[in-house]
Amino acid sequence: GDPVFVTNLDQWFARIYQYWYRKGFATMVAAGLTHVFTLAFTIGFSSFLFAFVDWAEVAACHDEASCYHLSHYIRGGETFLHDKTRRGADALALTYVLVFGIYWVWTALATAASLRDAWETRRFYREDLGLETERDTRAATWNEVVRRLGEVQLAGRAPWRAHQTSVANASSSTTTPTTTTTRR
């Protein structure tokens, strides 16, 4: 079939570099999933602390006589948004959960898109650059990757179009810019 050409060359070369820098697809998957799960844990745990721990009661705990069992400081879900004395704090906690929940969904989708792009880059590394395994990618220097990119271009298999303009064409189409100076 006809070759598919890259529409955003800067972005494409950045992906080529990131794939090499992160040492292949497996490490990119591990890093992406770790980031998404770490963020989910952080948001979930901080949401729990923000919404369900009675910090006023915790602050009143000064010694063994004034402190209670841990369950005393944890609010049940049935009082969330129903306790009129905490309605403002509960609304703030709910806003926190919603905002950071949306942020987590956005991050998860961005990570999925990034991994989809990395999968396409993996195909290019394997089929076009000849770096067929993750080990080959990890062992390759950046100079080696660039050399192979050049070979792909010289062989006419590059997914970008190289425009060759002769000096005569370039000089005949250029005009001398005029400048005007305004004195005050």
Side-chain angles (χ1 to χ4, degrees):
D2 293 332
V4 176
F5 289 101
V6 175
T7 57
N8 184 336
L9 201 54
D10 290 334
Q11 183 182 31
W12 187 81
F13 277 118
R15 283 183 11 209
I16 293 295
Y17 177 76
Q18 283 300 315
Y19 188 87
W20 171 81
Y21 180 77
R22 298 194 189 276
K23 303 301 181 199
F25 186 72
T27 56
M28 293 177 84
V29 169
L33 292 178
T34 300
H35 176 67
V36 168
F37 287 121
T38 301
L39 184 60
F41 174 79
T42 303
I43 292 170
F45 188 63
S46 62
S47 295
F48 169 77
L49 291 175
F50 195 35
F52 296 108
V53 173
D54 189 344
W55 291 103
E57 288 287 326
V58 172
C61 176
H62 298 291
D63 57 21
E64 221 175 290
S66 65
C67 294
Y68 301 98
H69 187 267
L70 181 62
S71 62
H72 176 78
Y73 303 104
I74 307 299
R75 296 177 49 213
E78 66 278 351
T79 63
F80 187 71
L81 292 175
H82 298 294
D83 183 355
K84 293 182 185 201
T85 62
R86 293 194 37 93
R87 192 159 280 168
D90 287 352
L92 186 61
L94 183 61
T95 302
Y96 176 88
V97 170
L98 290 174
V99 167
F100 285 102
I102 291 168
Y103 174 69
W104 182 84
V105 168
W106 179 81
T107 300
L109 292 174
T111 300
S114 172
L115 292 177
R116 184 197 68 233
D117 292 344
W119 183 259
E120 293 171 10
T121 304
R122 176 181 180 261
R123 188 216 51 83
F124 180 78
Y125 264 71
R126 288 181 173 205
E127 294 176 12
D128 296 319
L129 296 184
L131 298 169
E132 296 179 7
T133 66
E134 297 282 319
R135 178 176 284 170
D136 293 339
T137 301
R138 285 191 298 272
T141 65
W142 179 242
N143 289 341
E144 174 69 15
V145 172
V146 170
R147 183 187 64 73
R148 289 175 184 236
L149 284 168
E151 289 173 358
V152 167
Q153 182 176 3
L154 289 175
R157 298 185 335 261
W160 63 87
R161 294 183 196 264
H163 297 287
Q164 296 180 352
T165 309
S166 68
V167 174
N169 288 341
S171 63
S172 66
S173 65
T174 53
T175 58
T176 306
T178 57
T179 57
T180 57
T181 308
T182 307
R183 293 188 180 179
R184 293 182 183 183

